[in-house]
Amino acid sequence: MLELCNISKKYKEKIALNDVSLKLDNGIYGLLGPNGAGKSTLMNIITGNLEPTEGTIKWDGKEVKELGSNYRSLLGYAPQQQGMYETFSGRRFLSYIATLKGISQSSMEDEINRVLLYVNMVEKSNQKIGTYSGGMKQRILIAQAIIGNPKLVILDEPTAGLDPKERVRIRERIAELSKDKIILVSTHVVSDIESIAKKIILIKTGKIIDYANVNVLCDKYNATNLEDVYMKIFGEE
Ligand code: ADP
Ligand code: MG
C-alpha cells in the first residue's frame, strides 16, 4: 500500500503540487491531467527523485525516507524523457539497469530475457537504441522499469509521441502487468487508460480534482465516457 500524505511542492514561487493525499493498493491507476498539471512532479516525488516541500510518503504504513534502499528495491520507474543510451543495444541498456538494481549475475540473463519477451523486443535486442522507433524505445523503457519484478511501477507518459498502433501495444503491455503490483501511469490521453485503469486520478494545476473508477466519474459528471468527464473538467483550458 502506497500512501501520499499532504504532499505539496513549490518551485520557488510556483506551486506545482498543492496538498495531495492519496491511497493506492494493488492495481492500475491512471494519473490524468493536461500538460503542467503536476503529474511528473508527483511521480518524481513518489520515486524519491524529488523532495516534497511538505508532506510524507508511506509504504505499508512506514515512511519511505526510513525505508531507504528497501523502498528503492521495490520500485520501478520509467521517466518521461527518454534519457537513453543511444549507442547501447537494448540488451546492454537493460543489463546496465539490472546491475544498478542489484540483480545478481546468475539471474541476470534470464531476467533480461523475461522483460524483453514481455515487451516483445527479443529480436531487436542486439540493435542499438539509436535505431529504434519511439514505440520501441518506450517498450525498452517499460522493460527496464519491471526488471526485478518491483511492487510499485511508475510510468510517466509511456505513450507520449507514439502512433495509434504503438499506443495500443503499450496499453496492452501495461494491462497485462501482474496484478500484485501498484502501477501508476500518467497521461493526458484518456483512451490510454480508460479501459485498463481500476481508478482514475484527475489532476489539475497541482490539485487532485477527483479519484474514482470510470463509472463513478461518469455518473458524477453526468458524462457518457471518460473523454466527456475530461472535457467537463479541463475543457475550458
Ligand atoms: P506535467 O507532468 O503534468 O506536465 P509537471 O509536473 O512537469 O507537469 O509540472 C507542473 C508545474 O510545475 C508546471 O507548471 C511546470 O512548469 C512547473 N515545473 C516543473 N518543473 C519545474 C522546475 N524544475 N522549476 C520550476 N517549475 C517547474
Ligand atoms: Mg510530465
Side-chain angles (χ1 to χ4, degrees):
M1 165 95 97
L2 179 73
E3 222 175 319
L4 312 185
C5 315
N6 309 102
I7 298 288
S8 294
K9 178 67 188 178
K10 274 193 205 159
Y11 296 108
K12 298 208 175 102
E13 293 307 299
K14 169 91 200 170
I15 299 170
L17 291 174
N18 189 353
D19 198 24
V20 169
S21 294
L22 280 174
K23 279 184 192 173
L24 309 182
D25 54 16
N26 289 345
I28 301 174
Y29 296 82
L31 179 61
L32 181 62
N35 287 329
K39 301 183 296 297
S40 295
T41 300
L42 187 61
M43 290 180 143
N44 275 306
I45 287 173
I46 293 172
T47 56
N49 292 313
L50 204 59
E51 275 280 310
T53 312
E54 274 173 72
T56 51
I57 300 189
K58 291 178 185 168
W59 179 262
D60 287 342
K62 297 188 195 84
E63 276 203 40
V64 301
K65 256 192 235 157
E66 268 126 59
L67 292 173
S69 65
N70 290 330
Y71 176 66
R72 279 192 297 279
S73 71
L74 56 83
L75 191 66
Y77 172 48
Q80 183 172 3
Q81 72 281 37
Q82 297 180 346
M84 286 207 277
Y85 295 74
E86 303 271 310
T87 60
F88 279 27
S89 70
R91 189 176 284 278
R92 191 160 160 235
F93 175 67
L94 293 176
S95 67
Y96 165 67
I97 298 291
T99 305
L100 289 182
K101 285 192 175 185
I103 304 294
S104 70
Q105 274 304 323
S106 58
S107 55
M108 179 90 68
E109 196 179 347
D110 283 352
E111 181 59 3
I112 288 171
N113 285 330
R114 180 185 77 86
V115 299
L116 280 169
L117 198 63
Y118 189 80
V119 297
N120 197 17
M121 284 291 288
V122 175
E123 274 170 45
K124 298 271 168 46
S125 65
N126 291 315
Q127 288 183 24
K128 289 200 169 113
I129 289 173
T131 68
Y132 289 173
S133 69
M136 289 178 196
K137 284 183 183 172
Q138 285 295 1
R139 279 189 272 157
I140 288 291
L141 213 52
I142 291 173
Q144 64 77 30
I146 60 170
I147 286 176
N149 206 20
K151 298 284 285 174
L152 174 60
V153 178
I154 309 284
L155 306 173
D156 196 356
E157 303 223 27
T159 59
L162 302 189
D163 68 38
K165 214 168 78 185
E166 286 175 323
R167 300 190 92 91
V168 172
R169 214 178 270 159
I170 295 285
R171 185 168 74 217
E172 286 169 350
R173 296 291 70 200
I174 294 168
E176 282 166 22
L177 283 172
S178 76
K179 299 297 178 280
D180 63 344
K181 305 174 184 308
I182 298 174
I183 299 159
L184 183 62
V185 185
S186 75
T187 184
H188 56 265
V189 179
V190 166
S191 60
D192 283 346
I193 47 161
E194 178 161 28
S195 63
I196 64 167
K198 97 169 176 185
K199 281 190 181 173
I200 309 291
I201 303 158
L202 289 148
I203 183 169
K204 182 178 181 176
T205 52
K207 275 247 173 227
I208 305 294
I209 297 287
D210 230 313
Y211 171 41
N213 74 36
V214 173
N215 291 336
V216 169
L217 290 171
C218 287
D219 285 349
K220 182 169 173 184
Y221 291 89
N222 195 16
T224 49
N225 53 35
L226 189 60
E227 188 77 53
D228 201 13
V229 172
Y230 189 94
M231 287 314 290
K232 284 183 169 155
I233 294 174
F234 303 110
E236 75 277 17
E237 289 187 4

